[in-house]
Amino acid sequence: MTKADIVIIGGSAAGLTAAISARRTYPKKKTLLIRQEKQVLIPCGIPYIFGTVGSPEKNLIPDAALEKNGIELLIAQAKKIDRKKKIVETTEGDVEYERLIVSTGSVPVMPPIPGFDRDGVMAIIKDVAFLREMQQRTEKAKNIVIVGGGFIGIEMADEINKLGGKSITIVELFPHCLSLAYDEEFCIEMEEVIRARGIAIRTGTKVVAINGNSAVESVQLSDGTELEADLVVMAIGAAANVDLARDAGLHIGLTGSIAVDRTMRTSDECIYACGDCAEKVSFFGGGPSPLKLASIATLEARIAGANVYGVKRESPGTVGVWSTAVGDVALGTAGLTEAMAKKRGYEVVAVSLEGPNRHPGIMPGAANTKLKLVFEANSGVLVGGQVRGDSTAGEISNIISACIQKRMTAEDIAMFQMGTQPALTASPVAYPLVNLAEMAIAQMGRN
Ligand SMILES: Cc1cc2nc3c(=O)[nH]c(=O)nc-3n(C[C@H](O)[C@H](O)[C@H](O)COP(=O)(O)OP(=O)(O)OC[C@H]3O[C@@H](n4cnc5c(N)ncnc54)[C@H](O)[C@@H]3O)c2cc1C
């Protein structure tokens, strides 16, 4: 029987990060990672397989990180966790553990729409062979319907559109694409960018049936429209993969994920869980959080890996920071939108501005950047921010996220010393983050 001190199940964002973190914290402990696939995809890179990167094989997490960190690898499927004997039964034999980290991730949600099982209806499964087939079908398809206008839906639409000669329609239930993470003004701008690239968008309607004989031929919408389709891509979310944990008797939480405390420990004191399979609470108020993001998965993994032999870290809850891009236009978000904050009962002060991210604004590479910050009115604490701009939007939303996590107030942000340079940043006189904080302070003073 194989034996290791720390055993991790799952080798994607959470599993790999947890293994590295465990080795860094406990270098003398033998650490073994069990994963079912030979090659692991970079999950966030999947949409780019279809238009930019070219194949699933060009979008892989290299195994070098395992070797470099002295992590042993077993390619096998974990079939059962025997908690009494502290054994993981796998397709390649039993593995005994002292501490176990479960990072079995998530699987795409397939709604029970009549006809969803027709040939040509595909969810995005994180598997090389599956995506190779999906890529071939995408290349042949003429009329493609993408169900879901979240960031995965729009990235898939834009990448497939790069192949040319296809009619692509995004169908979104809410009034706008991306509306779970951006305020309306940002959503509308991005929808305009998407439409200008030749992709149709139908919002405020849902798919009620997928028609055809054996293969899909059309998609029926609740507003009565029927869209011709020979390929339907489902991008409406993911559900935690908890079968192994549930069968082992680990507690399952309110959102159907593996219940964990803030140290990422499950209901078994020797078993930890992290990533898409683990239950999450929101940074804002501590209620259950449905978010599933690589930023959260890897944070939880760094907590679980460090804590397996004693508590060193605790999760503050999900902030929700991510970005997306269509062509040259990028959006970034962190924390609560203005609409979301109000819905949750916060009294807010929201401030926005737009300006070039170089100075003077005629400098090469300058892009107009729109920034919005949302502060809690009473305390002045930052609870959210959104940005629309060029590729810098991703890192700007990361800065906003750091400010939120440290519960910075408008006054803290107004006191930033920001490094500036004409060819690289906005003007120091009107640096957007600082300027917005000053605007918010003035507004709060008036209230
Ligand atoms: C198309 C797409 C694009 C995305 N883009 C972004 C993005 O831009 N930014 C962002 O923050 N997030 C993004 N996400 C979300 C992000 O990819 C996930 O949050 C992240 O992959 C979670 O990592 P994980 O390791 O918890 O789970 P997963 O990536 O689901 O990995 C779980 C792993 O465990 C393995 N496994 C499961 N069961 C067993 C078993 N019994 N035995 C052995 N192995 C097992 C699986 O095969 C899999 O490799 C995207 C997701 C998708 C699908």
Side-chain angles (χ1 to χ4, degrees), residues 180-205:
L180 291 177
Y182 291 89
D183 281 313
E184 198 177 42
E185 63 270 27
F186 287 86
C187 301
I188 291 172
E189 281 188 44
M190 190 48 116
E191 284 171 352
E192 282 166 8
V193 172
I194 295 168
R195 286 196 173 107
R197 289 165 77 83
I199 299 166
I201 302 175
R202 302 192 69 102
T203 56
T205 184

PDB file of all heavy atoms in Angstrom, residues 180-205:
ATOM      1  N   LEU A 180     -24.400  39.962 -12.606  1.00  0.00           N
ATOM      2  CA  LEU A 180     -24.184  39.496 -11.234  1.00  0.00           C
ATOM      3  C   LEU A 180     -22.923  40.111 -10.629  1.00  0.00           C
ATOM      4  O   LEU A 180     -22.685  40.005  -9.435  1.00  0.00           O
ATOM      5  CB  LEU A 180     -24.093  37.959 -11.176  1.00  0.00           C
ATOM      6  CG  LEU A 180     -25.401  37.222 -11.460  1.00  0.00           C
ATOM      7  CD1 LEU A 180     -25.184  35.715 -11.463  1.00  0.00           C
ATOM      8  CD2 LEU A 180     -26.478  37.593 -10.439  1.00  0.00           C
ATOM      9  N   ALA A 181     -22.104  40.755 -11.462  1.00  0.00           N
ATOM     10  CA  ALA A 181     -20.837  41.272 -10.935  1.00  0.00           C
ATOM     11  C   ALA A 181     -20.526  42.711 -11.347  1.00  0.00           C
ATOM     12  O   ALA A 181     -19.534  43.272 -10.895  1.00  0.00           O
ATOM     13  CB  ALA A 181     -19.685  40.374 -11.380  1.00  0.00           C
ATOM     14  N   TYR A 182     -21.376  43.279 -12.198  1.00  0.00           N
ATOM     15  CA  TYR A 182     -21.121  44.656 -12.653  1.00  0.00           C
ATOM     16  C   TYR A 182     -22.412  45.456 -12.598  1.00  0.00           C
ATOM     17  O   TYR A 182     -23.498  44.924 -12.863  1.00  0.00           O
ATOM     18  CB  TYR A 182     -20.576  44.660 -14.093  1.00  0.00           C
ATOM     19  CG  TYR A 182     -19.184  44.084 -14.178  1.00  0.00           C
ATOM     20  CD1 TYR A 182     -18.999  42.717 -14.377  1.00  0.00           C
ATOM     21  CD2 TYR A 182     -18.056  44.886 -14.020  1.00  0.00           C
ATOM     22  CE1 TYR A 182     -17.726  42.171 -14.423  1.00  0.00           C
ATOM     23  CE2 TYR A 182     -16.783  44.350 -14.061  1.00  0.00           C
ATOM     24  CZ  TYR A 182     -16.625  42.994 -14.266  1.00  0.00           C
ATOM     25  OH  TYR A 182     -15.363  42.458 -14.300  1.00  0.00           O
ATOM     26  N   ASP A 183     -22.296  46.741 -12.307  1.00  0.00           N
ATOM     27  CA  ASP A 183     -23.458  47.612 -12.385  1.00  0.00           C
ATOM     28  C   ASP A 183     -23.833  47.821 -13.845  1.00  0.00           C
ATOM     29  O   ASP A 183     -23.010  47.650 -14.750  1.00  0.00           O
ATOM     30  CB  ASP A 183     -23.155  48.956 -11.689  1.00  0.00           C
ATOM     31  CG  ASP A 183     -23.261  48.834 -10.170  1.00  0.00           C
ATOM     32  OD1 ASP A 183     -24.258  48.253  -9.694  1.00  0.00           O
ATOM     33  OD2 ASP A 183     -22.342  49.300  -9.470  1.00  0.00           O
ATOM     34  N   GLU A 184     -25.112  48.237 -14.013  1.00  0.00           N
ATOM     35  CA  GLU A 184     -25.711  48.277 -15.351  1.00  0.00           C
ATOM     36  C   GLU A 184     -24.868  49.025 -16.385  1.00  0.00           C
ATOM     37  O   GLU A 184     -24.715  48.575 -17.525  1.00  0.00           O
ATOM     38  CB  GLU A 184     -27.096  48.915 -15.243  1.00  0.00           C
ATOM     39  CG  GLU A 184     -27.969  48.652 -16.414  1.00  0.00           C
ATOM     40  CD  GLU A 184     -29.359  49.247 -16.240  1.00  0.00           C
ATOM     41  OE1 GLU A 184     -29.472  50.398 -15.747  1.00  0.00           O
ATOM     42  OE2 GLU A 184     -30.323  48.562 -16.610  1.00  0.00           O
ATOM     43  N   GLU A 185     -24.287  50.171 -15.968  1.00  0.00           N
ATOM     44  CA  GLU A 185     -23.563  50.986 -16.958  1.00  0.00           C
ATOM     45  C   GLU A 185     -22.371  50.226 -17.558  1.00  0.00           C
ATOM     46  O   GLU A 185     -22.063  50.368 -18.744  1.00  0.00           O
ATOM     47  CB  GLU A 185     -23.129  52.341 -16.368  1.00  0.00           C
ATOM     48  CG  GLU A 185     -22.139  52.289 -15.209  1.00  0.00           C
ATOM     49  CD  GLU A 185     -22.785  52.215 -13.816  1.00  0.00           C
ATOM     50  OE1 GLU A 185     -23.918  51.700 -13.699  1.00  0.00           O
ATOM     51  OE2 GLU A 185     -22.137  52.641 -12.842  1.00  0.00           O
ATOM     52  N   PHE A 186     -21.717  49.381 -16.741  1.00  0.00           N
ATOM     53  CA  PHE A 186     -20.589  48.586 -17.240  1.00  0.00           C
ATOM     54  C   PHE A 186     -21.103  47.461 -18.152  1.00  0.00           C
ATOM     55  O   PHE A 186     -20.505  47.158 -19.179  1.00  0.00           O
ATOM     56  CB  PHE A 186     -19.789  47.987 -16.068  1.00  0.00           C
ATOM     57  CG  PHE A 186     -18.972  49.009 -15.325  1.00  0.00           C
ATOM     58  CD1 PHE A 186     -19.534  49.755 -14.299  1.00  0.00           C
ATOM     59  CD2 PHE A 186     -17.643  49.233 -15.655  1.00  0.00           C
ATOM     60  CE1 PHE A 186     -18.795  50.703 -13.611  1.00  0.00           C
ATOM     61  CE2 PHE A 186     -16.889  50.184 -14.976  1.00  0.00           C
ATOM     62  CZ  PHE A 186     -17.473  50.925 -13.949  1.00  0.00           C
ATOM     63  N   CYS A 187     -22.214  46.847 -17.739  1.00  0.00           N
ATOM     64  CA  CYS A 187     -22.781  45.748 -18.546  1.00  0.00           C
ATOM     65  C   CYS A 187     -23.176  46.249 -19.927  1.00  0.00           C
ATOM     66  O   CYS A 187     -22.896  45.603 -20.944  1.00  0.00           O
ATOM     67  CB  CYS A 187     -24.015  45.158 -17.863  1.00  0.00           C
ATOM     68  SG  CYS A 187     -23.692  44.509 -16.225  1.00  0.00           S
ATOM     69  N   ILE A 188     -23.839  47.414 -19.960  1.00  0.00           N
ATOM     70  CA  ILE A 188     -24.300  47.956 -21.247  1.00  0.00           C
ATOM     71  C   ILE A 188     -23.108  48.230 -22.167  1.00  0.00           C
ATOM     72  O   ILE A 188     -23.125  47.894 -23.349  1.00  0.00           O
ATOM     73  CB  ILE A 188     -25.160  49.230 -21.026  1.00  0.00           C
ATOM     74  CG1 ILE A 188     -26.486  48.835 -20.362  1.00  0.00           C
ATOM     75  CG2 ILE A 188     -25.405  49.990 -22.330  1.00  0.00           C
ATOM     76  CD1 ILE A 188     -27.349  50.000 -19.906  1.00  0.00           C
ATOM     77  N   GLU A 189     -22.053  48.812 -21.598  1.00  0.00           N
ATOM     78  CA  GLU A 189     -20.859  49.095 -22.422  1.00  0.00           C
ATOM     79  C   GLU A 189     -20.279  47.815 -23.001  1.00  0.00           C
ATOM     80  O   GLU A 189     -19.905  47.753 -24.164  1.00  0.00           O
ATOM     81  CB  GLU A 189     -19.792  49.792 -21.581  1.00  0.00           C
ATOM     82  CG  GLU A 189     -20.060  51.261 -21.384  1.00  0.00           C
ATOM     83  CD  GLU A 189     -18.885  51.944 -20.722  1.00  0.00           C
ATOM     84  OE1 GLU A 189     -17.734  51.681 -21.116  1.00  0.00           O
ATOM     85  OE2 GLU A 189     -19.120  52.725 -19.782  1.00  0.00           O
ATOM     86  N   MET A 190     -20.194  46.772 -22.169  1.00  0.00           N
ATOM     87  CA  MET A 190     -19.610  45.517 -22.656  1.00  0.00           C
ATOM     88  C   MET A 190     -20.525  44.876 -23.696  1.00  0.00           C
ATOM     89  O   MET A 190     -20.043  44.312 -24.683  1.00  0.00           O
ATOM     90  CB  MET A 190     -19.329  44.570 -21.487  1.00  0.00           C
ATOM     91  CG  MET A 190     -18.513  43.360 -21.870  1.00  0.00           C
ATOM     92  SD  MET A 190     -17.029  43.727 -22.872  1.00  0.00           S
ATOM     93  CE  MET A 190     -15.728  43.199 -21.789  1.00  0.00           C
ATOM     94  N   GLU A 191     -21.824  44.968 -23.496  1.00  0.00           N
ATOM     95  CA  GLU A 191     -22.752  44.412 -24.500  1.00  0.00           C
ATOM     96  C   GLU A 191     -22.563  45.099 -25.848  1.00  0.00           C
ATOM     97  O   GLU A 191     -22.606  44.460 -26.901  1.00  0.00           O
ATOM     98  CB  GLU A 191     -24.200  44.552 -24.016  1.00  0.00           C
ATOM     99  CG  GLU A 191     -24.545  43.537 -22.939  1.00  0.00           C
ATOM    100  CD  GLU A 191     -25.909  43.785 -22.294  1.00  0.00           C
ATOM    101  OE1 GLU A 191     -26.532  44.840 -22.565  1.00  0.00           O
ATOM    102  OE2 GLU A 191     -26.334  42.938 -21.506  1.00  0.00           O
ATOM    103  N   GLU A 192     -22.332  46.428 -25.804  1.00  0.00           N
ATOM    104  CA  GLU A 192     -22.094  47.160 -27.065  1.00  0.00           C
ATOM    105  C   GLU A 192     -20.830  46.655 -27.743  1.00  0.00           C
ATOM    106  O   GLU A 192     -20.787  46.479 -28.968  1.00  0.00           O
ATOM    107  CB  GLU A 192     -21.984  48.672 -26.793  1.00  0.00           C
ATOM    108  CG  GLU A 192     -23.351  49.319 -26.595  1.00  0.00           C
ATOM    109  CD  GLU A 192     -23.266  50.712 -25.993  1.00  0.00           C
ATOM    110  OE1 GLU A 192     -22.153  51.262 -25.865  1.00  0.00           O
ATOM    111  OE2 GLU A 192     -24.342  51.244 -25.629  1.00  0.00           O
ATOM    112  N   VAL A 193     -19.795  46.407 -26.950  1.00  0.00           N
ATOM    113  CA  VAL A 193     -18.524  45.895 -27.505  1.00  0.00           C
ATOM    114  C   VAL A 193     -18.766  44.527 -28.149  1.00  0.00           C
ATOM    115  O   VAL A 193     -18.306  44.255 -29.260  1.00  0.00           O
ATOM    116  CB  VAL A 193     -17.454  45.784 -26.384  1.00  0.00           C
ATOM    117  CG1 VAL A 193     -16.205  45.069 -26.897  1.00  0.00           C
ATOM    118  CG2 VAL A 193     -17.096  47.153 -25.838  1.00  0.00           C
ATOM    119  N   ILE A 194     -19.519  43.675 -27.466  1.00  0.00           N
ATOM    120  CA  ILE A 194     -19.774  42.309 -27.973  1.00  0.00           C
ATOM    121  C   ILE A 194     -20.580  42.381 -29.273  1.00  0.00           C
ATOM    122  O   ILE A 194     -20.252  41.721 -30.263  1.00  0.00           O
ATOM    123  CB  ILE A 194     -20.514  41.468 -26.907  1.00  0.00           C
ATOM    124  CG1 ILE A 194     -19.633  41.265 -25.671  1.00  0.00           C
ATOM    125  CG2 ILE A 194     -20.950  40.112 -27.473  1.00  0.00           C
ATOM    126  CD1 ILE A 194     -20.366  40.706 -24.452  1.00  0.00           C
ATOM    127  N   ARG A 195     -21.623  43.190 -29.261  1.00  0.00           N
ATOM    128  CA  ARG A 195     -22.483  43.302 -30.471  1.00  0.00           C
ATOM    129  C   ARG A 195     -21.680  43.863 -31.646  1.00  0.00           C
ATOM    130  O   ARG A 195     -21.836  43.408 -32.775  1.00  0.00           O
ATOM    131  CB  ARG A 195     -23.695  44.194 -30.182  1.00  0.00           C
ATOM    132  CG  ARG A 195     -24.725  43.497 -29.299  1.00  0.00           C
ATOM    133  CD  ARG A 195     -26.076  44.219 -29.335  1.00  0.00           C
ATOM    134  NE  ARG A 195     -27.082  43.449 -28.624  1.00  0.00           N
ATOM    135  CZ  ARG A 195     -27.579  43.764 -27.432  1.00  0.00           C
ATOM    136  NH1 ARG A 195     -27.170  44.849 -26.806  1.00  0.00           N
ATOM    137  NH2 ARG A 195     -28.496  42.993 -26.864  1.00  0.00           N
ATOM    138  N   ALA A 196     -20.799  44.822 -31.358  1.00  0.00           N
ATOM    139  CA  ALA A 196     -19.996  45.426 -32.434  1.00  0.00           C
ATOM    140  C   ALA A 196     -19.083  44.390 -33.078  1.00  0.00           C
ATOM    141  O   ALA A 196     -18.612  44.589 -34.201  1.00  0.00           O
ATOM    142  CB  ALA A 196     -19.179  46.583 -31.879  1.00  0.00           C
ATOM    143  N   ARG A 197     -18.821  43.296 -32.378  1.00  0.00           N
ATOM    144  CA  ARG A 197     -17.967  42.234 -32.946  1.00  0.00           C
ATOM    145  C   ARG A 197     -18.800  41.182 -33.681  1.00  0.00           C
ATOM    146  O   ARG A 197     -18.294  40.121 -34.039  1.00  0.00           O
ATOM    147  CB  ARG A 197     -17.136  41.599 -31.823  1.00  0.00           C
ATOM    148  CG  ARG A 197     -16.055  42.575 -31.326  1.00  0.00           C
ATOM    149  CD  ARG A 197     -15.444  42.165 -30.021  1.00  0.00           C
ATOM    150  NE  ARG A 197     -14.477  41.093 -30.131  1.00  0.00           N
ATOM    151  CZ  ARG A 197     -13.207  41.258 -30.468  1.00  0.00           C
ATOM    152  NH1 ARG A 197     -12.748  42.458 -30.748  1.00  0.00           N
ATOM    153  NH2 ARG A 197     -12.378  40.229 -30.531  1.00  0.00           N
ATOM    154  N   GLY A 198     -20.108  41.465 -33.835  1.00  0.00           N
ATOM    155  CA  GLY A 198     -20.958  40.594 -34.660  1.00  0.00           C
ATOM    156  C   GLY A 198     -21.645  39.476 -33.896  1.00  0.00           C
ATOM    157  O   GLY A 198     -22.196  38.550 -34.504  1.00  0.00           O
ATOM    158  N   ILE A 199     -21.631  39.554 -32.578  1.00  0.00           N
ATOM    159  CA  ILE A 199     -22.282  38.512 -31.771  1.00  0.00           C
ATOM    160  C   ILE A 199     -23.640  39.055 -31.303  1.00  0.00           C
ATOM    161  O   ILE A 199     -23.713  40.187 -30.804  1.00  0.00           O
ATOM    162  CB  ILE A 199     -21.410  38.148 -30.543  1.00  0.00           C
ATOM    163  CG1 ILE A 199     -20.057  37.592 -31.013  1.00  0.00           C
ATOM    164  CG2 ILE A 199     -22.122  37.169 -29.609  1.00  0.00           C
ATOM    165  CD1 ILE A 199     -19.000  37.512 -29.935  1.00  0.00           C
ATOM    166  N   ALA A 200     -24.689  38.267 -31.473  1.00  0.00           N
ATOM    167  CA  ALA A 200     -26.024  38.710 -31.037  1.00  0.00           C
ATOM    168  C   ALA A 200     -26.209  38.402 -29.551  1.00  0.00           C
ATOM    169  O   ALA A 200     -25.641  37.428 -29.038  1.00  0.00           O
ATOM    170  CB  ALA A 200     -27.092  38.000 -31.859  1.00  0.00           C
ATOM    171  N   ILE A 201     -26.977  39.251 -28.893  1.00  0.00           N
ATOM    172  CA  ILE A 201     -27.258  39.021 -27.461  1.00  0.00           C
ATOM    173  C   ILE A 201     -28.765  39.128 -27.263  1.00  0.00           C
ATOM    174  O   ILE A 201     -29.391  40.091 -27.722  1.00  0.00           O
ATOM    175  CB  ILE A 201     -26.559  40.076 -26.571  1.00  0.00           C
ATOM    176  CG1 ILE A 201     -25.047  40.065 -26.791  1.00  0.00           C
ATOM    177  CG2 ILE A 201     -26.879  39.833 -25.100  1.00  0.00           C
ATOM    178  CD1 ILE A 201     -24.305  41.168 -26.034  1.00  0.00           C
ATOM    179  N   ARG A 202     -29.338  38.169 -26.569  1.00  0.00           N
ATOM    180  CA  ARG A 202     -30.765  38.252 -26.207  1.00  0.00           C
ATOM    181  C   ARG A 202     -30.833  38.135 -24.693  1.00  0.00           C
ATOM    182  O   ARG A 202     -30.478  37.113 -24.117  1.00  0.00           O
ATOM    183  CB  ARG A 202     -31.553  37.123 -26.867  1.00  0.00           C
ATOM    184  CG  ARG A 202     -31.415  37.139 -28.391  1.00  0.00           C
ATOM    185  CD  ARG A 202     -32.407  36.232 -29.002  1.00  0.00           C
ATOM    186  NE  ARG A 202     -33.742  36.781 -28.820  1.00  0.00           N
ATOM    187  CZ  ARG A 202     -34.432  37.422 -29.765  1.00  0.00           C
ATOM    188  NH1 ARG A 202     -33.901  37.594 -30.955  1.00  0.00           N
ATOM    189  NH2 ARG A 202     -35.631  37.860 -29.538  1.00  0.00           N
ATOM    190  N   THR A 203     -31.266  39.228 -24.050  1.00  0.00           N
ATOM    191  CA  THR A 203     -31.313  39.238 -22.581  1.00  0.00           C
ATOM    192  C   THR A 203     -32.766  39.233 -22.097  1.00  0.00           C
ATOM    193  O   THR A 203     -33.689  39.456 -22.879  1.00  0.00           O
ATOM    194  CB  THR A 203     -30.594  40.482 -22.025  1.00  0.00           C
ATOM    195  OG1 THR A 203     -31.192  41.636 -22.615  1.00  0.00           O
ATOM    196  CG2 THR A 203     -29.115  40.454 -22.324  1.00  0.00           C
ATOM    197  N   GLY A 204     -32.931  38.963 -20.811  1.00  0.00           N
ATOM    198  CA  GLY A 204     -34.266  38.953 -20.216  1.00  0.00           C
ATOM    199  C   GLY A 204     -35.131  37.826 -20.750  1.00  0.00           C
ATOM    200  O   GLY A 204     -36.359  37.903 -20.736  1.00  0.00           O
ATOM    201  N   THR A 205     -34.522  36.790 -21.229  1.00  0.00           N
ATOM    202  CA  THR A 205     -35.271  35.643 -21.744  1.00  0.00           C
ATOM    203  C   THR A 205     -34.489  34.370 -21.433  1.00  0.00           C
ATOM    204  O   THR A 205     -33.294  34.429 -21.185  1.00  0.00           O
ATOM    205  CB  THR A 205     -35.505  35.796 -23.263  1.00  0.00           C
ATOM    206  OG1 THR A 205     -36.310  34.708 -23.712  1.00  0.00           O
ATOM    207  CG2 THR A 205     -34.217  35.786 -24.067  1.00  0.00           C
TER     208      THR A 205
END
